[in-house]
């Protein structure tokens, strides 16, 4: 178990007679691995999380093991454990409410994929789910990524939550996410996808440095990086002695309280537009994706995509009398090129 230690000292440190600095940082625990089984009679649910929990405030001594132990305890008692956005909000709210010297909590959750093994005529008692009651399959490497900030700077009775949530590594990641290292909070979709036609690129600016030929038919492949930011939410402060209570807000479509629905819609829209759009360019397809994510989810403030353009170059076989280059419809054998690659990014926000 590794820990991330950010010692916070808010008092001035005198280094010289004419130099005074303030150290502003966080401490906490990284890579807290949690597998939780929720038993509903004979029908079981499982979630597996990698959790990072960092604290900020008037701290002079760090106790990272405390953060780890609280995370495991909340995983046991929280009724919100199956939804990573809500569990992260619960954990962060508990930490800033329980400790007077903590002003902010930063929770990151990476949820690994577990799906029910398909079994004939097997479904949940309420009919909402199908599959085996307690046998699961890791049927993909995609992960849901949730980042939450709980801010108690205005007072313990004025808690503010900032949330983003999403999916990464869907179908496998071929390029490092250019956004994942520095975003405060995000929900990321990062699938590698490909379609063999239905994409073109032409009428672009040309000058003496241009070598790219215009094409009306090409392979379109990319590793999609999507994250979206929810509108901040006011949170109810826990009223119990142990500060374990957590009250969900009203479940409105597209809000953070509808997080599972938002994740499903964002994933489906992204893949559907990629497949169905007669793409005039990567930029044009990206913009259509972002518009639809915003239009379907009223609680999302902004959507950011990064699409590294994976190139597949037709192999020139004219030296042996075989045409595999022109016209593009003749191209059937390609050489994948990992780098360099184009990178198209954009953020679409509500006005």
């Amino acid at each position: 178990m590794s820990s991330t230690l950010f010692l916070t000292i808010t008092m001035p440190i005198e280094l010289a007679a004419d130099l005074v600095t303030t150290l502003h940082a966080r401490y906490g625990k990284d890579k807290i691995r949690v597998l939780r089984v929720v038993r509903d009679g004979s029908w079981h649910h499982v979630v597996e999380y990698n959790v990072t929990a960092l604290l900020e405030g008037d701290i002079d001594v760090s106790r990272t093991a405390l953060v780890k132990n609280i995370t495991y305890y909340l995983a046991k008692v929280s009724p919100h454990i199956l939804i990573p956005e809500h569990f992260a909000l619960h954990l962060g709210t508990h930490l800033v409410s329980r400790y007077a010297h903590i002003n902010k909590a930063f929770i990151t959750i990476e949820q690994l994929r577990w799906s029910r093994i398909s079994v004939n005529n097997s479904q949940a008692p309420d009919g909402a789910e199908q599959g085996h009651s307690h046998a699961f399959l890791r049927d993909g490497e995609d992960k849901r990524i949730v980042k939450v900030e709980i801010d108690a700077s205005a007072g313990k009775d004025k808690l503010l939550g900032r949330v983003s949530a999403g999916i990464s590594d869907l179908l496998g990641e071929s390029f490092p996410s250019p956004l994942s290292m520095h975003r405060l909070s995000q929900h990321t979709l990062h699938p590698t996808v490909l379609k063999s036609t239905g994409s073109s690129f032409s009428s672009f600016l040309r000058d003496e440095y241009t070598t790219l030929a215009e094409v009306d038919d090409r392979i379109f492949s990319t590793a999609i990086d999507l994250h979206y930011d929810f509108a901040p939410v006011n949170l109810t402060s826990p009223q119990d002695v142990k500060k374990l209570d957590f009250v969900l807000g009203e479940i409105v479509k597209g809000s953070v309280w509808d997080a599972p629905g938002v994740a499903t819609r964002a994933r489906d829209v992204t893949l559907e537009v990629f497949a169905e759009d007669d793409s005039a360019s990567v930029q044009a397809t990206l913009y259509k994706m972002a518009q639809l994510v915003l239009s379907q989810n009223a609680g999302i403030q902004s959507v950011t995509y990064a699409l590294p353009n994976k190139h597949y170059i037709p192999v020139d076989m004219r030296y042996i009398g075989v045409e595999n280059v022109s016209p593009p419809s003749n191209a059937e054998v390609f050489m994948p090129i990992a780098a360099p690659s184009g990178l198209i990014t954009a953020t679409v926000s509500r006005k």
Side-chain angles (χ1 to χ4, degrees), residues 7 17 139 168 184 191 228 268 301 328:
L7 180 61
D139 60 345
S168 71
L184 171 65
Y228 44 88
D268 290 349
Q301 289 187 316

Side-chain angles (χ1 to χ4, degrees), residues 145 164-167 177 179-180 182-190 224-230 293 300 302-306 346-348:
I145 307 296
S164 296
I167 305 171
S177 165
L179 299 173
S180 61
H182 67 274
R183 291 297 300 189
L184 171 65
S185 59
Q186 65 181 15
H187 182 168
T188 306
L189 170 65
H190 201 120
I224 300 170
D225 185 347
L226 162 65
H227 76 257
Y228 44 88
D229 296 315
F230 288 99
V293 172
I300 292 178
S302 65
V303 179
T304 299
Y305 279 96
T347 297
V348 181

Side-chain angles (χ1 to χ4, degrees), residues 6 50 95 159 161 175 182 188 194 225 233 235 241 247 262 281 309 329 335:
F6 300 90
N50 294 321
L95 289 167
L159 302 182
F175 295 90
H182 67 274
T188 306
L194 178 150
D225 185 347
V233 291
L235 301 172
V241 174
V247 180
V262 173
S281 65
N309 199 355
S329 57
M335 178 173 57

Side-chain angles (χ1 to χ4, degrees), residues 4 7 38 44 49 66 87 128 178 193 226 257 268 278 310 335:
T4 300
L7 180 61
V38 177
H44 294 181
Y49 294 153
L66 175 150
F87 178 65
V193 291
L226 162 65
W257 309 119
D268 290 349
D278 189 4
K310 297 178 60 181
M335 178 173 57

Side-chain angles (χ1 to χ4, degrees), residues 6-12 22-27 55-63 99-104 152-153 156:
F6 300 90
L7 180 61
T8 299
I9 304 175
T10 56
M11 64 184 70
T22 297
L23 178 62
H24 178 79
R26 304 164 188 167
Y27 85 91
L55 306 178
E56 184 179 297
D58 299 323
I59 303 164
D60 56 2
V61 178
S62 63
R63 295 179 293 166
Y99 299 104
H101 62 292
I102 299 300
N103 300 322
K104 292 183 180 181
S153 300
K156 301 294 186 177

